[in-house]
C-alpha cells in the first residue's frame, strides 16, 4: 500500500477528543514557565550542548536491577544477614577462631560461607535476568540524525537529550519525544500505550502545525529550536512546555508528547526530538525499585531461631555454673589434673575466667541445636520450584508463545498458604475479545444465539435440578434464572453444538467472523428492509458505522475491511455494521465514507458524512458523539453510551422504545453481555452554528478550567436525544475457568471477583464460571434508592447498609446446615460506605464467612482498598490476579501478585 493512498485514506488531524476544527496554536498564549519544576531546557538537534552544566542530563540507558557490580556484595551481604540465624552462625564462626574452641574454625566457617554463598548466587542469578533484559532494551536500534540531513541507526543507550530521531512503524519510542512530524501530511500518528496504562486502544498524537512540514530527512540539516518545559515527573497525562522555533514561541501539550515504551502503530514513521531520557522518562519515573520481600515462613524461622538461641544460652549457662562449682570445690582434689600446673580455664583460683571460657566453649559445642542445613535445603528447594514453575507446560500459552515467569523465588511457599484469591474479571476470567451477539432496535430484540454464559449457567443449574425448590426466600435468585427449564438447557446445548459441529463443505462463514456472533435472518442479507420500523433500523446501522474513532484497513486479498479500534467493543460494532451492509471504508480529514448496501444483489452506494465535531468517550462522560452533515445537508448528532447516561438525556418524544429497550437491556445483562444504548438528534443549522461558536471559544481557552468548559458545552448539545436501540456484545470466558474455580473452591479457598460490570452481568458470569452454584444462598447488599432531601441522607443510607450487613451475618450464624454455602454480592456505590472505618470490619466479618464474594461496579482504587482490607483484617495470605493497569493497585496490595499477559497488557 503506497504512502499516498494511506495519506488519502487516513488523513484526519482533527478526529479525536473535541478535536474537529482545531484553532491555530499561534492564537494561544504560551504557558508561563517559572518557578521550581519548570527548569528544563532542551536544545533541539544540538545534543552536545547538554554535555556540560547546567544542562547535564542523564543518559538514555536504564537499569531495573537490584544490584550492580559495586553494590552487589555489600547489598547482598546485608540481605543475608537480615536473617537472625546467619548472624548467629557468624558469631559462632568468630568464636571458633579462639584457642578454647572445641572445633577447628574451618568446620564453622565453611557451612556459613556455603549457605551465604548459595543464597547470594541465587540473588545474582535472578538479578542477572533483569540485567540481560535491560541490555536487550538498551541495545535496541533507532535512526538518529547524524548531521547534514543523514539518519543512521544508533543504540537507545546512546540517545541524548536534544537528539532528533526517526521512529518507524511498529517500533517503540526510545525516550520521551516531542512529535515534530509524521508520514501523514497533517502531522498525526497513532500510538499504542499498552505498556504504560494497559489500554489496547490506539491514541492519536498530533504535532504542532509549525513543525509538521519537517517530513523528510533532508530538512533537518538546518533545524534548530529550544524547548523549555517541566522537570522530570511521573505524571503520564500532563506536560507543560514551550517551543521556541523560528523566533516564535509555541505552547506544547500532552497530545504532542510520545512516551518511552509506547509503540508507533498505523503510521509509517515519525520524527521527534528527545526531551526526557533514561530514568528521567515518565515511565521510569513511575517504576519502583525491585522490593526485597520475605516470606511468612522465613519470618517465622527468625522467631524460632530466637527461641532456640534462648534455649542454647540457658543450657550453656547451666553447664557453665556446674563447671564453676566443679572447678572450685572438686578440681583441687583431682591430683591427676596436676593442680600445680593447671591452665587458666581450669584454675580454681580464677573461677570467673574459667566459667566464661567454658560458656564460650559450651555455646560452640551445643551450637548445632540451630541447624544451618535447614537454610541450605530451603534455598535449594525454592530455586528448583521456580525452575519447575517456569518450565510447567500447563502454564505455557501456545498462542502467544509465553511461558510462566517466576520473577522471584522468595515467595514460593506462600502459594501453599493462600486463603483468599482476588481476581479481576475482564481479561482474566474472560477473554476481552468481543463478539456482537444481540441487539434491540425500535423495541424489538434481534439475535437468536445464546451466550456462553447462558449455556454454562443453564448447564450448571440443571446439573442440580432437583434442588431448585430449596428455600431461598430470604435471598432470591434472579427470576430469569429461577425459571430455567429442561427445554432451555436442551435448546442451549443444541445451539452450542450448532456452533461447533459444522460440515467442512458447507461451513457457516458467519461463525468464523471475528467479532461477529450474530444470528437472525430478519436483519441479514437486507431483510431488514421488510421490517415494520425500517427507518429506525437504518439509523441504528448508520450510528454503528459512523459514530466511532476507528481506522479502516482493506485486506486486498479478501476485499474485506478490518478495523483498528479504540476498544474491542467498538471493533465489534464496526464488524457488525459491515455484515449488516454498512461498511465503513474510508476517512479523510473532514469526512467519513460508508459503503451502504440496500439489496441482496450486492449493489453498493458510497455515502459521505461530513465530520463536523467529535466528542470522545471518556470514563467520566461514559458516552461519545459525532456531529455530521449528510449528503442531503441534514445535521445529525449520533451518540452511543451507557444506558443510564443516554436515558437521562432523552427528549419527551424520544422515549417511544424506552420501556422495551430497558427490558431487553436487563435480559442482556443477565446473559452476561456488555451493553450500550444508541440515540440520535436532528439539528437546525442555526442552532449548530451558535453552539459551535461556543465550542470553539471553549477550545481556544487556556487554563485549568478548559476541560470543564468543554464538558459543559458538550452537555448543551448532547440532550433531547431520540432512542434508537441498544447493542449487546459477548466477552467469552477463558478456557478452563469454571473447572479451575470449582477446584479452588473444593480446596477451601475463598474467591473474590472484583469487576466493573453491573450486578446482573456479574451474577451470571459467576454462575457460568462456577463461582456461584445452585443451592448457594446469595446475600445482595445494595444502596437504597431515596428521594429524600434531608441533610442526614448519607447517614440514613449508611444505617440501611449496616442493617443489611448485620442481617446477613445473623442469617449465616443461624444457619443450621453445616454444609450451606453463602455468596456475598455488593456494588461499588455500596462498597464506598462499607469501606469506611466504622463499617469495614463488620463488612469484612460478613465477607470472610461467605464462600464467594462478587464486588460489582468497582473502581481501580476500590480494588486496592478491598485487597488491603482482606489482607490486614483477616491476617491471612492473599493472592491477586489481574491483567490490566486498573489491576496494578490490587496486585501490589496483595501478599502475592500474579500478572497475566492478556489483551489489556501484563502486570507482574
Amino acid at each position: 500500500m503506497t504512502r499516498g493512498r494511506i495519506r488519502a485514506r487516513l488523513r484526519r488531524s482533527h478526529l479525536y477528543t473535541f478535536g474537529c476544527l482545531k484553532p491555530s496554536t499561534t492564537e494561544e498564549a504560551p504557558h508561563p514557565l517559572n518557578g521550581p519544576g519548570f527548569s528544563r531546557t532542551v536544545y533541539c538537534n544540538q545534543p552536545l550542548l547538554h554535555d556540560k552544566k547546567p544542562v547535564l542530563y542523564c543518559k538514555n540507558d536504564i537499569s531495573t536491577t537490584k544490584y550492580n557490580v559495586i553494590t552487589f556484595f555489600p547489598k547482598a551481604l546485608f540481605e543475608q544477614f537480615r536473617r537472625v540465624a546467619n548472624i548467629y552462625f557468624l558469631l559462632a564462626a568468630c568464636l571458633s577462631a579462639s584457642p578454647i574452641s572445641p572445633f577447628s574454625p574451618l568446620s564453622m566457617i565453611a557451612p556459613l560461607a556455603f549457605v551465604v554463598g548459595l543464597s547470594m548466587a541465587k540473588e545474582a542469578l535472578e538479578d542477572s535476568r533483569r540485567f540481560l533484559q535491560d541490555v536487550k532494551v538498551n541495545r535496541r536500534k533507532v535512526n538518529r540524525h547524524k548531521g547534514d540531513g543523514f539518519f543512521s541507526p544508533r543504540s537507545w543507550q546512546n540517545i541524548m537529550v536534544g537528539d532528533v530521531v526517526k521512529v518507524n512503524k511498529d517500533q517503540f519510542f526510545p525516550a520521551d519525544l516531542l512529535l515534530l512530524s509524521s508520514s501523514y501530511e497533517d502531522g498525526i500518528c497513532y500510538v499504542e500505550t499498552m505498556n504504560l496504562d494497559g489500554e489496547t486502544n490506539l491514541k492519536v498524537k498530533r504535532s504542532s502545525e509549525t513543525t509538521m512540514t519537517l517530513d523528510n530527512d533532508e530538512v533537518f540539516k538546518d533545524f534548530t529550536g529550544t524547548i523549555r518545559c517541566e522537570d522530570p515527573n511521573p505524571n503520564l497525562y500532563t506536560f507543560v512546555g514551550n517551543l521556541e522555533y523560528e523566533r516564535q514561541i509555541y505552547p506544547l501539550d500532552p497530545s504532542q508528547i510520545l512516551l518511552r515504551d509506547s509503540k508507533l502503530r498505523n503510521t509509517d514513521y515519525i520524527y521527534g526530538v528527545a526531551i526526557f531520557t533514561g530514568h528521567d522518562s515518565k515511565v521510569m519515573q513511575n517504576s519502583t525499585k525491585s522490593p526485597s520481600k520475605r516470606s511468612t515462613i522465613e519470618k517465622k524461622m527468625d522467631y524460632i531461631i530466637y527461641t532456640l538461641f534462648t534455649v542454647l544460652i540457658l543450657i550453656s549457662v547451666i553447664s557453665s555454673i556446674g563447671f564453676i562449682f566443679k572447678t572450685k570445690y572438686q578440681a583441687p582434689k583431682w591430683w591427676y589434673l596436676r593442680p600445680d600446673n593447671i591452665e587458666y580455664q581450669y584454675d580454681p583460683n580464677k573461677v570467673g575466667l574459667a566459667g566464661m571460657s567454658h560458656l564460650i566453649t559450651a555455646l560452640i559445642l551445643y551450637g548445632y541445636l540451630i541447624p544451618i542445613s535447614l537454610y541450605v535445603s530451603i534455598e535449594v528447594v525454592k530455586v528448583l520450584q521456580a525452575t519447575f514453575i517456569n518450565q510447567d507446560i500447563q502454564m505455557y500459552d501456545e498462542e502467544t508463545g509465553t511461558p510462566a515467569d517466576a520473577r522471584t523465588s522468595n515467595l514460593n511457599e506462600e502459594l501453599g498458604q493462600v486463603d483468599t484469591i482476588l481476581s479481576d474479571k475482564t481479561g482474566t476470567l474472560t477473554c476481552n475479545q468481543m463478539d456482537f451477539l444481540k441487539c434491540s432496535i425500535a423495541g424489538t430484540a434481534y439475535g437468536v444465539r445464546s451466550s456462553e454464559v447462558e449455556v454454562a449457567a443453564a448447564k450448571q443449574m440443571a446439573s442440580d435440578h432437583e434442588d431448585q425448590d430449596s428455600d431461598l426466600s430470604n435471598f432470591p435468585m434472579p427470576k430469569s434464572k429461577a425459571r430455567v427449564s429442561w427445554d432451555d438447557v436442551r435448546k442451549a446445548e443444541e445451539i452450542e453444538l450448532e456452533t461447533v459441529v459444522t460440515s467442512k463443505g458447507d461451513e457457516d462463514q458467519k461463525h468464523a467472523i471475528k467479532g461477529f456472533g450474530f444470528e437472525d435472518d430478519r436483519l441479514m442479507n437486507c431483510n431488514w428492509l421488510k421490517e415494520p420500523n425500517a427507518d429506525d433500523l437504518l439509523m441504528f446501522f448508520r450510528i454503528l458505522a459512523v459514530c466511532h474513532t476507528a481506522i479502516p484497513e482493506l485486506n486486498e486479498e479478501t476485499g474485506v475491511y478490518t478495523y483498528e479500534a479504540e476498544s474491542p467493543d467498538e471493533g465489534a460494532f464496526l464488524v457488525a455494521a459491515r455484515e449488516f451492509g454498512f461498511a465503513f471504508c474510508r476517512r479523510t480529514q473532514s469526512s467519513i465514507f460508508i459503503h451502504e448496501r440496500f439489496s441482496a444483489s450486492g449493489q453498493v452506494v458510497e455515502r459521505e458524512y461530513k465530520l463536523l465535531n467529535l466528542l470522545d468517550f471518556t470514563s467520566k462522560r461514559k458516552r461519545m458523539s459525532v456531529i455530521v452533515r449528510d449528503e442531503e445537508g441534514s445535521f445529525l448528532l449520533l451518540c452511543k453510551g451507557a444506558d443510564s447516561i443516554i436515558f437521562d438525556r432523552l427528549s419527551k418524544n424520544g422515549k417511544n422504545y424506552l420501556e422495551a429497550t430497558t427490558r431487553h437491556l436487563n435480559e442482556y445483562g443477565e446473559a452476561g453481555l456488555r451493553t450500550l444504548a444508541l440515540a440520535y438528534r436532528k439539528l437546525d443549522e442555526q442552532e449548530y452554528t451558535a453552539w459551535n461558536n461556543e465550542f470553539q471559544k471553549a477550545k481556544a481557552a487556556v487554563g485549568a478550567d478548559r476541560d470543564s468548559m468543554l464538558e459543559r458545552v458538550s452537555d448543551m448539545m448532547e440532550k433531547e436525544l431520540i432512542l434508537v436501540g441498544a447493542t449487546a456484545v459477548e466477552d467469552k470466558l477463558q478456557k478452563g475457568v469454571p473447572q479451575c474455580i470449582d477446584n479452588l473452591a473444593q480446596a477451601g479457598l475463598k474467591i473474590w471477583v472484583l469487576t466493573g460490570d453491573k450486578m446482573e452481568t456479574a451474577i451470571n458470569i459467576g454462575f457460568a464460571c462456577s463461582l456461584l452454584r445452585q443451592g448457594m444462598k446469595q446475600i445482595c447488599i445494595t444502596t437504597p434508592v431515596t428521594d429524600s432531601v434531608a441533610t442526614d441522607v448519607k447517614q440514613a443510607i449508611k444505617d440501611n447498609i449496616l442493617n443489611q450487613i448485620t442481617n446477613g451475618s445473623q442469617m449465616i450464624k443461624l444457619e443450621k446446615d453445616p454444609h450451606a454455602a453463602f455468596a456475598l454480592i455488593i456494588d461499588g456505590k455500596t462498597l464506598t460506605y462499607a469501606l469506611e472505618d466504622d463499617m469495614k470490619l463488620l463488612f469484612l466479618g460478613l465477607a470472610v464467612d461467605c464462600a464467594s464474594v462478587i464486588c460489582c461496579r468497582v473502581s481501580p482504587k476500590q480494588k486496592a482498598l478491598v485487597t488491603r482490607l482482606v489482607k490486614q483484617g483477616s491476617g491471612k495470605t492473599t493472592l491477586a490476579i489481574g491483567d490490566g493497569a486498573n489491576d496494578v493497585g490490587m496486585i501490589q496490595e496483595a501478599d502475592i501478585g500474579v500478572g497475566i499477559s492478556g489483551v489489556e497488557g501484563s502486570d507482574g
Side-chain angles (χ1 to χ4, degrees), residues 519-530:
E519 278 186 15
D520 197 325
D521 290 337
R522 291 177 291 175
L523 298 187
M524 304 304 295
N525 299 318
C526 296
N527 291 335
W528 59 271
L529 289 166
K530 304 173 185 175

Side-chain angles (χ1 to χ4, degrees), residues 10-69:
L10 298 179
R11 192 192 322 159
R12 57 183 186 108
S13 64
H14 310 309
L15 174 60
Y16 265 57
T17 311
F18 310 118
C20 295
L21 304 177
K22 181 181 177 182
S24 172
T25 55
T26 57
E27 297 175 8
E28 299 182 15
H31 191 286
L33 299 180
N34 48 41
F38 299 95
S39 63
R40 197 172 188 89
T41 303
V42 177
Y43 299 101
C44 303
N45 215 17
Q46 305 170 77
L48 295 180
L49 293 180
H50 305 100
D51 272 347
K52 52 189 176 182
K53 293 183 178 181
V55 288
L56 182 60
Y57 301 133
C58 74
K59 296 182 179 179
N60 199 39
D61 58 325
I62 61 158
S63 174
T64 60
T65 58
K66 192 189 300 185
Y67 313 103
N68 59 37
V69 176

Side-chain angles (χ1 to χ4, degrees), residues 457-475:
K459 285 184 177 181
Q460 184 70 29
M461 299 179 72
S463 65
D464 199 9
H465 187 267
E466 63 273 12
D467 294 333
Q468 279 195 1
D469 296 329
S470 60
D471 182 17
L472 298 180
S473 57
N474 291 313
F475 304 101

